[in-house]
Amino acid sequence: MLKNKVGVEISENVLKQYGYQPFAGTKIGHLISQRVAPAVHVMAGPSKVATSLADVVKNNVRDGMTISFHHHLREGDMVFNQVMQLIIDEGIKDLTLAPSSLTNVMNDMVIKAIKAGTVTHITSSGMRGSLGDAVSHGLLPNPVIFRSHGGRARAIETGKIKIDVAFLGVPNADEMGNANGMTGDAAFGSLGYALMDARYADKVVLLTDNIVDYPNTPASINQTQVDYVVKVDQVGDPDLIGSGATRFTKDPKELKIAQMVNSVITHSPYFKNGFSFQTGSGGAALAVTRYLRQAMIDQKIKASFALGGITKPTTDLLDEGLVKKVMDVQDFDKGAADSMHKNPAQQEIDSSWYADPFNKGAMVSKLDVVILSALQIDTDFNVNVLTGSDGVIRGAIGGHQDAATAKLTIISAPLVRGRLATIVPKMTSITTPGDSIDVVATELGIAINPARQDLVKQLSHIPGVPVYTIQELQQKAADIVGQPVPIQYIDRPVALAEYRDGTLIDVIHQVQE
Amino acid sequence: MGISKAALAGTLESSDIQITLSPAANGIQIELTSAVASQFGEQIKKVITQTLQSLGIDNVAVKAVDKGALDCVIKARTIAAGQRALGQKEPAWEVL
């Protein structure tokens, strides 16, 4: 056993068997990273339109391959289940499933594919619901590898993930494969995550319900990358792709947390003309955007850019001129997706440009302020976004590790959720190292990472924002919920959580019944 | 003592617990459903048992559907269900 930088004990066997170095710190350094290139099946025909998806699957997917999908269609996805069913029917075995992430609508099919022996390896940003539960109880023969969005981009560029066939759903495409995410019944906005697959997969199959006149512009994915265009009945259910019209939370606890976060931001030295920020899509994060808007108007401050997953409250700031550019890797709601189509200042970015630590500069490294969520936080400021208090996988890394490298990283989380403490002495797994977390904001008050004495000075006397140590907050949570019985694990890894640089930050074990 | 009629208290809202008591003869039998059973199951059962005993009930079948309730809520719902099952019109303030 040896301990990595966040104190996780990892056996030499695990490191050796899966080819890992233990996580050693958040600094990336000036290494030279070698990129790989995909095979190109040269063609010059007049059209790539294939009529039968079954034939495309049959002629291109073989035992042992790595296949990929994107998750931009979220809970409205109608591509994944269709393709996986055909692959199962074909009797193909031992695939590595390497999607940008897995949504609940895919869960049953993934479980079916695992049980059929079709899928034996998975790498993803995360998983939830029945699939997370099944994997945590040992369904998959090999541990899932969890990677952040930036980590996946790195793994694809360096060949750690070698995609043989990418199946990418798009709301429009022409006969040669020029496509974007912005128009059509299943429009979802940015194709950020899928752009990596389109560039690096040996074979790229576009699935669309909307074949448009050639040449289709703007072309986020272009014809030089695409092998097949397959017409399907429907790629996504528009009602489930995004969370309709964004509604502001009325939950007093979430509003209180949002006020705390807003006060921290506006009292920090980073809140000045030209600052940049990233917020998530949760209730509190959306409320922060609303409070921040008012503070920006009041103090005549404009942001240079907003980054990451985008929501309508953020594109509203763009329309109002409060934010100059929106750098958009995915759109969480229809408002944000529509805005990308209309506003040239809303730039589509791929996940490498967004967050990849092994390129010539990712946008997260220019980020001033980020607000992130947490399932659990420990007293070293480490954050868990992958496993629940019961040790079961129920989340996704997303851009958490990547964006946390911002100059001011704020975790917004309630002190307790029902009977579960959010701030705990020991978490069920570590996703993001405390080194990159600066402030934890709860409904009771904030805790500042003692490594940031500059922030302790600047943020300790904000009216209405009590400051506690992280240990004090943990104790307050424990006083409310009581002492939980520790989770029992079986000594078998069901998932490996990579840090964004590809080192091993934690090993998630099978939970005992 | 046992109870003569079934009684219920609490809801299925988040952070609440629904306690249903039915007459039974073999001590306090608790059937618990809770998302936090692995961490707090024993504690929840302990609070229910102690609260019922303080009401003098030691023969009862308990169905508890927990939605993340804190101990104080579990106690309050158990008292309410217990006093209803015993047909008490006024709360027995001294056991509170």
Side-chain angles (χ1 to χ4, degrees), chain A residues 388-391 417-420 480-487, chain B residues 14-15 35-36 38-40 42-44 67-71 74:
Chain A
S389 302
D390 53 1
R417 293 183 174 97
R419 195 170 184 158
L420 299 168
I480 296 169
V481 301
Q483 198 60 44
V485 175
I487 308 295
Chain B
S14 181
S15 296
V36 296
S38 58
Q39 297 118 293
F40 291 103
E42 289 313 308
Q43 173 65 16
I44 294 169
K67 298 288 174 184
L70 299 174
D71 284 352
I74 299 167

